[in-house]
């Protein structure tokens, strides 16, 4: 390590349980989970802005334990808002573009009755496909299309037990 950076040094109050960091185009985004905010910094560690909420149909909406972030080259943010059970997609100005909610609502056949959507980490490919790691999901990485529609699971290996496995 060549430098330690904390919220006090940045003049924004201490970080509380930071969970993720994303760097792109000489900008750094820190998911400060305990303070329910995203801290946007320059590569020189200067604060650009703090995103702690957004306008949602005329009402102020906030994050609750955000855990992961992905930022597009244009500055759009995909935020895994864990305790609000959703993915929040904001444009480069911090305006709401999309909210992705639990896929169990639209496709219950893939989930147990007690399923709770708790997104932890997120990634987005060049086509806008959203990949989500959610707490308590063991079927693989959840895949959503560009419109937030659940497409299924990727990356999980299917187990094919042998006869010996059954005996054991």
């Amino acid at each position: 390590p060549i430098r330690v950076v904390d919220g006090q040094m940045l003049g924004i109050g201490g970080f509380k349980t930071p969970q993720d960091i994303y760097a792109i185009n000489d900008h750094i985004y820190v998911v400060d989970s305990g303070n329910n905010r995203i801290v946007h910094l320059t590569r020189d560690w200067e604060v650009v802005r703090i995103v702690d909420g957004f306008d949602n149909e005329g009402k102020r909406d906030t994050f609750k334990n955000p855990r992961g972030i992905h930022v597009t080259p244009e500055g759009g943010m995909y935020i895994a808002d864990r305790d609000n059970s959703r993915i929040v997609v904001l444009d480069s100005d911090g305006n709401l573009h999309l909210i992705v909610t639990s896929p169990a609502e639209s496709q219950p056949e893939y989930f147990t009755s007690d399923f709770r959507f708790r997104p932890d980490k997120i990634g987005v490919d060049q086509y806008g496909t959203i990949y989500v790691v959610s707490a308590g999901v063991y079927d693989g990485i959840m895949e959503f299309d560009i419109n937030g529609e659940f497409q299924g699971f990727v990356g999980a290996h299917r187990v094919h037990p042998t006869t010996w496995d059954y005996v054991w």
Side-chain angles (χ1 to χ4, degrees), residues 3 11 38-39 42 47 67-68 81 91 111 114 125 139 147 162:
R3 185 174 187 178
I38 308 299
V39 180
T42 66
V47 177
R67 300 293 288 259
D81 192 10
D91 67 17
F111 303 94
D114 62 344
D125 68 15
D139 298 307
N147 300 312
T162 65

Side-chain angles (χ1 to χ4, degrees), residues 20 29-33 36-39 49 51-54 62-71 75-82 84-91 94 96 98-100 117 119-124 130 132:
D20 204 0
Y29 297 80
V30 178
V31 179
D32 187 9
S33 299
N36 299 311
R37 65 185 180 179
I38 308 299
V39 180
R49 64 184 167 164
V51 181
D52 59 1
F54 53 93
T62 58
F63 304 114
K64 189 173 180 185
N65 193 17
R67 300 293 288 259
I69 189 168
H70 178 92
V71 182
M77 293 180 281
Y78 291 75
I79 302 159
D81 192 10
R82 181 177 175 160
N84 279 327
S85 302
R86 64 187 181 183
I87 302 294
V88 176
V89 183
L90 304 176
D91 67 17
L96 180 63
L98 177 69
I99 291 181
V100 179
F117 186 47
D120 272 335
K121 300 299 175 199
I122 188 166
V124 181
I130 305 166
V132 177

Side-chain angles (χ1 to χ4, degrees), residues 24-162:
I24 187 168
N25 297 338
D26 293 332
H27 289 264
I28 302 164
Y29 297 80
V30 178
V31 179
D32 187 9
S33 299
N35 288 318
N36 299 311
R37 65 185 180 179
I38 308 299
V39 180
H40 178 186
L41 307 163
T42 66
R43 71 178 298 179
D44 297 320
W45 303 101
E46 296 169 357
V47 177
V48 174
R49 64 184 167 164
I50 295 174
V51 181
D52 59 1
F54 53 93
D55 180 62
N56 185 356
E57 298 180 0
K59 294 182 182 176
R60 174 90 173 141
D61 203 343
T62 58
F63 304 114
K64 189 173 180 185
N65 193 17
R67 300 293 288 259
I69 189 168
H70 178 92
V71 182
T72 66
E74 299 78 31
M77 293 180 281
Y78 291 75
I79 302 159
D81 192 10
R82 181 177 175 160
D83 290 351
N84 279 327
S85 302
R86 64 187 181 183
I87 302 294
V88 176
V89 183
L90 304 176
D91 67 17
S92 60
D93 295 321
N95 300 312
L96 180 63
H97 175 69
L98 177 69
I99 291 181
V100 179
T101 58
S102 175
E105 297 169 11
S106 62
Q107 297 180 357
E109 64 273 14
Y110 290 104
F111 303 94
T112 61
S113 60
D114 62 344
F115 172 76
R116 184 164 170 233
F117 186 47
R118 296 178 299 160
D120 272 335
K121 300 299 175 199
I122 188 166
V124 181
D125 68 15
Q126 68 268 28
Y127 306 109
T129 304
I130 305 166
Y131 300 95
V132 177
V133 174
S134 181
V137 174
Y138 304 102
D139 298 307
I141 297 171
M142 302 174 85
E143 179 182 351
F144 298 85
D145 68 15
I146 194 169
N147 300 312
E149 297 296 320
F150 180 67
Q151 300 300 301
F153 299 98
V154 295
H157 294 289
R158 295 291 173 220
V159 176
H160 302 287
T162 65

